[in-house]
Amino acid sequence: MPSVFRRWRWPLVALLISLLTLIPLAVIVLSSLTPDPVIWQHLLDYALPELLNNTLWLVLGVAAGVLLLGVPLAWLVAVYDFPGRKHFNWALMLPLAMPAYVMAFTQVGLFDFSGPVQTLLRAHFDNTRWFPPIRSTGGLVLVMSLAFYPYVYLLARNAFSTMGRRALEVGQTLGLSRSAGFWHIALPMARPWIMGGLILALMETLADFGTVSIFNFDAFTTAIYKAWFSLFSLDTAKQLASLLVALIFVMVVLEQYARGRRAYVQAGRAAPLPRLRLAGVRAWLASGYALLVLALAFVLPFGQLLVWSWGALEQEWNEALFGYALRSVTLSMMAALMIVSIALLLSYARRRDGGALVRLLARVATLGYAVPGTVLAVGIFVPIAWLDNVLIEQFFAGQDVTAVLKGTLAVMLLAYVSRFLAVGYSAVDAAMNRITRSQEEAARNLGYSGFALLRHVHLPLLQGGLLTGVLMVFVDVMKEMPITMMTRPFGWDTLAVRIYGLTSEGVFDQAALPAVVLVLVGLIPTLLLSRQKDVA
């Protein structure tokens, strides 16, 4: 093997993988450098003021909501012992299995004027004009907070659980009470984890398409979709997408600035924090709060789905439903296997060549998770359309061929890879980092090298990380809506697309059965991940 190729083979592998994300992002960013004055004047006059105002209030509201829900729950479960704590520990993650858009239409169905809650209230009171309207900005913020608080809960719970005991003991020696110790010691120490969960929740908020559509709330994602598929203006969609990318970039920079140069070091040895037993009213208040959040975020919406599904069972339980489910599972599994395979290759390249270039390319390759699906769909469609024109001109000139790659499964899978590579990579790379250099050296001394080293040493040790990556990507792709809607081949409707179609027509009861199937399929990997986490 030539020495030049041997030197650059792993950077080349990392570069090829990073292009899957770099190209669509470059398309969007470059579009902002060539603004169309007519389009921008139209956006400034009719769209941007409302979009920016809506986005500001939505981000602020969801940030407050996920922090108020996630942090106290994480503190209670990690530090205290109260009735049901063991079950709440995993059950509070269940909303992750329910897409936000499914929770949205069930909450609207439950709490709208004609829903069972207001109907019951009207049976006992004169009217329900005092009842807060669910179809409002506040209702949307509440639904998104209930859907996305698990991101903060999971990371904050991990921080509180692994926090060194000495930190709180130092607080006690300084005369701080238990609550003062939480505010002045535990909370500042957990801030990096909490900020990480908050940023994930806000990125999901900005990337959301289905929930804001159900609430008829004008956001950047819906505006991009309308610009492309209603106004047929891909240029307008690109300009809006570039603005959304800029907003996400500002958010990441603000998060980094908030951390500053502070160093977060665990105090003392990694001794587990002993749980403090709550008694009496405090114990039942803790259980009641956790139960209330779980009921609003999962039990009530899922119960409403079951009730609607039973009523629509005869109409919706048909061959078409199995087709939607089969396509969803097939696509999710194909994407999960493809993404985890690429993630393994990228992680192995970083392992073999730990230089700054490969680390940078690995970082670039995983940027797609921070970019909304609508933006990536636009960024991928533009170069694919250009490549299609080149192929038609070269090989199909004069023939009745209008598309070669557009509208194929390959394009949709490429979009999934660009969006969810970070999910698979984080799981695989974490497992890769647990393999020590001494284990590799021992294998080399036994005669293993190259592919044999990967097959006989790395792959057996990476099984847990690979399985975790497959499960996490599977759940994300099952729930994904905008990329699927904007890049799917003709006739390739999935459960998510079917749900969007029915909810956009306002027939929530008919959308319930596909939603139940989607939630149940998503529950299996979520419970497996929870069990794997508990075992770990």
Side-chain angles (χ1 to χ4, degrees):
M1 181 183 297
S3 59
V4 174
F5 178 75
R6 185 180 301 168
R7 169 67 184 85
W8 291 101
R9 57 179 170 170
W10 295 119
L12 183 62
V13 168
L15 174 64
L16 291 175
I17 295 174
S18 67
L19 287 178
L20 295 174
T21 302
L22 195 58
I23 290 176
L25 280 179
V27 168
I28 297 302
V29 172
L30 290 176
S31 70
S32 65
L33 302 179
T34 55
D36 186 325
V38 177
I39 290 176
W40 276 103
Q41 191 59 50
H42 173 80
L43 292 176
L44 287 170
D45 290 341
Y46 300 104
L48 277 184
E50 185 178 6
L51 289 178
L52 291 173
N53 183 63
N54 287 352
T55 302
L56 175 66
W57 288 112
L58 186 62
V59 166
L60 290 177
V62 173
V66 296
L67 289 176
L68 289 173
L69 293 174
V71 176
L73 287 172
W75 179 250
L76 284 173
V77 169
V79 178
Y80 293 101
D81 195 11
F82 53 90
R85 190 209 69 83
K86 183 178 178 182
H87 301 295
F88 288 127
N89 183 44
W90 61 267
L92 287 169
M93 294 192 298
L94 288 178
L96 284 177
M98 181 176 290
Y101 52 85
V102 171
M103 185 182 295
F105 79 78
T106 53
Q107 298 284 16
V108 169
L110 277 169
F111 294 103
D112 207 4
F113 180 82
S114 58
V117 173
Q118 290 208 47
T119 301
L120 183 64
L121 289 174
R122 281 195 297 273
H124 295 82
F125 301 96
D126 291 338
N127 60 65
T128 56
R129 281 179 291 185
W130 51 270
F131 196 86
I134 187 69
R135 293 179 185 268
S136 62
T137 303
L140 176 60
V141 167
L142 176 63
V143 168
M144 284 194 163
S145 299
L146 290 170
F148 299 140
Y149 84 83
Y151 291 107
V152 175
Y153 165 75
L154 276 172
L155 294 180
R157 187 191 66 176
N158 182 53
F160 292 139
S161 298
T162 58
M163 193 173 291
R165 179 181 174 180
R166 291 184 181 178
L168 293 183
E169 289 178 345
V170 168
Q172 290 177 344
T173 60
L174 294 175
L176 297 177
S177 65
R178 194 174 295 169
S179 60
F182 167 75
W183 288 106
H184 296 291
I185 296 179
L187 197 58
M189 285 182 65
R191 202 179 77 177
W193 286 269
I194 295 172
M195 286 297 293
L198 177 63
I199 292 297
L200 282 176
L202 294 184
M203 285 181 176
E204 290 285 349
T205 301
L206 289 175
D208 180 85
F209 172 77
T211 311
V212 291
S213 297
I214 289 170
F215 275 80
N216 288 322
F217 188 84
D218 288 328
F220 275 95
T221 51
T222 55
I224 293 169
Y225 183 82
K226 289 176 183 174
W228 188 356
F229 289 95
S230 297
L231 304 176
F232 304 104
S233 174
L234 192 56
D235 289 332
T236 306
K238 284 194 296 183
Q239 302 294 336
L240 288 169
S242 66
L243 268 178
L244 186 51
V245 169
L247 281 177
I248 290 173
F249 178 75
V250 169
M251 188 177 298
V252 173
V253 171
L254 286 176
E255 189 268 343
Q256 295 293 324
Y257 178 77
R259 290 191 187 190
R261 295 185 177 181
R262 296 184 181 185
Y264 296 90
V265 181
Q266 185 170 319
R269 301 176 61 183
L273 189 69
R275 293 191 183 92
L276 304 171
R277 179 173 293 279
L278 292 176
V281 176
R282 289 184 175 184
W284 291 110
L285 283 177
S287 299
Y289 179 59
L291 183 61
L292 176 64
V293 174
L294 181 63
L296 288 174
F298 187 79
V299 178
L300 283 177
F302 192 63
Q304 180 64 70
L305 284 178
L306 292 177
V307 171
W308 277 336
S309 299
W310 183 256
L313 192 62
E314 186 175 349
Q315 183 179 354
E316 290 296 319
W317 187 265
N318 50 38
E319 189 175 341
L321 178 66
F322 287 98
Y324 302 136
L326 180 62
R327 283 190 282 275
S328 293
V329 172
T330 303
L331 272 176
S332 302
M333 187 52 68
M334 289 171 64
L337 294 176
M338 188 173 172
I339 288 170
V340 169
S341 301
I342 294 174
L344 173 63
L345 193 58
L346 183 62
S347 180
Y348 197 67
R350 188 171 177 271
R351 178 81 172 190
R352 296 270 65 87
D353 185 331
L357 178 60
V358 175
R359 291 202 305 272
L360 175 64
L361 291 172
R363 176 67 176 161
V364 170
T366 55
L367 284 178
Y369 195 63
V371 183
T374 48
V375 175
L376 283 176
V378 173
I380 286 177
F381 180 84
V382 173
I384 290 294
W386 172 83
L387 185 59
D388 255 12
N389 291 334
V390 172
L391 292 174
I392 291 172
E393 187 176 336
Q394 291 293 325
F395 302 105
F396 303 100
Q399 301 181 36
D400 188 20
V401 176
T402 58
V404 179
L405 297 173
K406 283 185 296 186
T408 63
L409 277 179
V411 174
M412 188 160 55
L413 288 172
L414 282 178
Y416 286 150
V417 172
S418 182
R419 176 84 168 91
F420 298 117
L421 181 59
V423 180
Y425 178 76
S426 62
V428 174
D429 198 54
M432 184 74 80
N433 287 331
R434 294 194 187 101
I435 301 175
T436 63
R437 298 290 180 183
S438 59
Q439 289 175 303
E440 291 182 345
E441 289 301 324
R444 285 197 178 91
N445 291 335
L446 294 174
Y448 292 108
S449 63
F451 182 73
L453 182 67
L454 175 66
R455 179 184 175 188
H456 294 288
V457 177
H458 291 96
L459 286 181
L461 295 174
L462 289 173
Q463 284 183 0
L466 293 172
L467 178 60
T468 300
V470 168
L471 292 174
M472 292 173 69
V473 174
F474 183 89
V475 172
D476 272 341
V477 177
M478 278 287 295
K479 297 187 294 184
E480 207 287 330
M481 180 185 284
I483 287 179
T484 310
M485 287 184 59
M486 298 167 82
T487 62
R488 72 189 191 280
F490 179 76
W492 261 81
D493 287 354
T494 62
L495 288 171
V497 175
R498 175 64 174 168
I499 291 168
Y500 174 79
L502 292 172
T503 53
S504 61
E505 297 172 5
V507 282
F508 295 160
D509 53 340
Q510 294 181 33
L513 191 55
V516 166
V517 176
L518 186 64
V519 172
L520 290 178
V521 175
L523 265 178
I524 297 171
T526 302
L527 293 176
L528 288 175
L529 282 172
S530 173
R531 182 179 177 82
Q532 198 176 38
K533 187 80 175 176
D534 289 342
V535 170

